Amino acid sequence: MSNKSRDKRTPSYSLVDRIRAWTFPKRLPAVPHHLTKDVMIPGIPKARYLVTMKEGIDNLVEDVAEARSRLKREFSPIGHKGQSPPENYLAISGGGDKGAFAAGLITGWTESGKRPYLHVVTGISTGALVAPFAFVGPECDHTLKNVFTNISQKDILGRRNVMAAVLDDAIKDSTPLWNLMGQHVNGELLERIAEKRSKGPFLFVATTNLDARLPVIWNMGEIAASKDPNSLELFRKILLASASIPGVFPPVMIDVEVDGVSYQEMHVDGGAVGQVFLFPASLGTVIRERGLWEDTERRAYIIRNARLDPDWASVDRRTLSILARAISSLIQTQGTADLYHIYLTTEQNKIDFNLAFIGSDFDVLHKEDFDTEYMRALFDYGYQRARGGYPWHKKPSGLFDPHLTG
């Protein structure tokens, strides 16, 4: 056989091509760009919102109107008439193991007797792991305390070999975190979430669609109430995706459909697009334009699982140290911008703004990620601050004051 004939019958692959074919994780095709807005979650058509698109806002407005009707039905048997009862919103930020602060604060909030009934709970990253239990109510406080005071690094991430950064989709394995969620995010929890959702409240979790580079807000109450046989697995996948730091943890592949054709979306940490969220800034405007706005008392509580003052550190002159420090600075700056964005949104919609964060007075040494002793101390810090009546900050001004305490 001539070389010319052999070239026609057998393509020539480079070593890189062969490594890619042999070892890289496989996936179904990504959703084509022009079909992004038409994606459906099989069996759960109202599972999520693409809030950067008009269609996503329209769907959210419809669901808000429907939830308001459920809320009124819930209150009418006890004699409530007129405008809707006061509404309370809770937004829980990312922050890795600093989620212990939110867990402690929420638990102490219950102990203070001042924790309100929550109508909307949102979560990103570690906040997404806290949000379902905060949404259900005080009966889940023991779970928050158990998880955030007893876990360690081995309960969150697994090791991979040194070539994982080149040949795999992340340098660490998230199987331990998936297994941990399996112990606490179960059918019983979904039933409780579905029950509360039936009375009107919303539970939202944000992830990042890495293919489309878009934020996705998931209606976790709708998923829990769907009775779809895959709802529990999807619920867990979304929580895992929201907490999956790109490059550190593997992305989570979500099965979707467009006109009966199967695709997969790659989802990662919601923190890739924001550290904390309440609701889209345009939501209130659209509701007003459609004559659906109701005047009632509204309060927003924002828990930022981070310090807001500059966290000084001497940086080693090494590539990884410099990159890590730069990324952490970017996250802190993004988180600050998110707080200002939420504050302006609440001002526009006449919502009472309340902010909690880790104060500069918390100075326990952070030895490594998911250090058990550090998380216990941080949980107790949040718990004690809230138990005595947390001094919620009414505006995010002065965030760069190094003397700020939470």
Side-chain angles (χ1 to χ4, degrees), residues 249-309:
F249 289 130
V252 176
M253 308 308 298
I254 303 292
D255 295 326
V256 299
E257 288 184 0
V258 180
D259 296 330
V261 179
S262 297
Y263 298 95
Q264 276 186 331
E265 293 177 339
M266 180 180 290
H267 285 258
V268 298
D269 196 331
V273 292
Q275 293 302 306
V276 62
F277 75 102
L278 190 59
F279 55 78
S282 61
L283 182 62
T285 301
V286 175
I287 290 176
R288 287 187 183 88
E289 289 174 348
R290 299 189 182 183
L292 299 173
W293 183 265
E294 291 188 6
D295 290 326
T296 189
E297 183 181 355
R298 295 179 171 89
R299 293 180 292 268
Y301 298 93
I302 318 301
I303 301 178
R304 181 69 179 107
N305 291 304
R307 287 175 55 162
L308 301 184
D309 58 306

Side-chain angles (χ1 to χ4, degrees), residues 63-367:
D63 288 350
V64 167
E66 180 184 329
R68 184 179 293 159
S69 297
R70 295 198 303 268
L71 185 64
K72 287 184 175 180
R73 289 196 300 269
E74 176 68 17
F75 278 85
S76 56
I78 61 175
H80 182 86
K81 297 180 180 180
Q83 69 179 19
S84 299
E87 297 179 0
N88 300 291
Y89 313 140
L90 173 64
I92 311 170
S93 84
D97 56 7
K98 295 179 180 64
F101 172 68
L105 188 146
I106 290 168
T107 303
W109 204 2
T110 300
E111 289 291 319
S112 74
K114 298 179 180 179
R115 177 175 172 179
Y117 182 87
L118 297 171
H119 296 81
V120 177
V121 177
T122 75
I124 279 184
S125 196
T126 193
L129 303 181
V130 175
F133 304 101
F135 179 78
V136 170
E139 61 264 40
C140 287
D141 284 358
H142 68 283
T143 301
L144 288 176
K145 181 177 181 179
N146 179 45
V147 170
F148 282 93
T149 62
N150 289 310
I151 62 171
S152 62
Q153 196 172 98
K154 65 179 177 59
D155 300 303
I156 302 299
L157 52 87
R159 297 182 180 277
R160 284 182 166 178
N161 63 49
V162 293
M163 292 300 293
V166 177
L167 302 178
D168 218 322
D169 54 4
I171 60 175
K172 299 294 183 181
D173 180 14
S174 59
T175 300
L177 177 56
W178 176 261
N179 292 337
L180 179 66
M181 284 197 304
Q183 298 175 30
H184 303 286
V185 181
N186 49 33
E188 181 183 354
L189 180 67
L190 260 63
E191 287 178 4
R192 292 185 178 185
I193 291 171
E195 180 183 1
K196 185 165 183 179
R197 174 259 177 202
S198 70
K199 301 173 183 178
F202 283 104
L203 170 61
F204 294 133
V205 164
T207 65
T208 301
N209 178 340
L210 207 55
D211 296 313
R213 206 156 65 176
L214 289 174
V216 178
I217 295 180
W218 296 86
N219 188 339
M220 305 300 277
E222 186 71 24
I223 295 170
S226 70
K227 304 301 182 184
D228 186 271
N230 298 314
S231 61
L232 178 57
E233 181 180 10
L234 176 63
F235 196 101
R236 290 174 178 168
K237 277 188 170 184
I238 294 165
L239 296 185
L240 181 64
S242 188
S244 292
I245 303 169
V248 178
F249 289 130
V252 176
M253 308 308 298
I254 303 292
D255 295 326
V256 299
E257 288 184 0
V258 180
D259 296 330
V261 179
S262 297
Y263 298 95
Q264 276 186 331
E265 293 177 339
M266 180 180 290
H267 285 258
V268 298
D269 196 331
V273 292
Q275 293 302 306
V276 62
F277 75 102
L278 190 59
F279 55 78
S282 61
L283 182 62
T285 301
V286 175
I287 290 176
R288 287 187 183 88
E289 289 174 348
R290 299 189 182 183
L292 299 173
W293 183 265
E294 291 188 6
D295 290 326
T296 189
E297 183 181 355
R298 295 179 171 89
R299 293 180 292 268
Y301 298 93
I302 318 301
I303 301 178
R304 181 69 179 107
N305 291 304
R307 287 175 55 162
L308 301 184
D309 58 306
D311 183 17
W312 187 93
S314 176
V315 181
D316 293 336
R317 195 169 178 177
R318 293 185 295 112
T319 301
L320 292 180
S321 296
I322 295 169
L323 283 174
R325 184 64 173 173
I327 291 172
S328 67
S329 297
L330 178 62
I331 290 172
Q332 182 182 31
T333 303
Q334 181 190 45
T336 300
D338 291 335
L339 293 178
Y340 278 115
H341 177 78
I342 291 174
Y343 178 72
L344 292 175
T345 301
T346 57
E347 283 285 290
Q348 180 184 11
N349 293 282
K350 297 181 179 179
I351 300 171
D352 182 43
F353 179 90
N354 300 271
L355 172 65
F357 55 88
I358 302 172
S360 57
D361 55 332
F362 181 77
D363 57 2
V364 174
L365 180 64
H366 192 200
K367 299 177 182 178

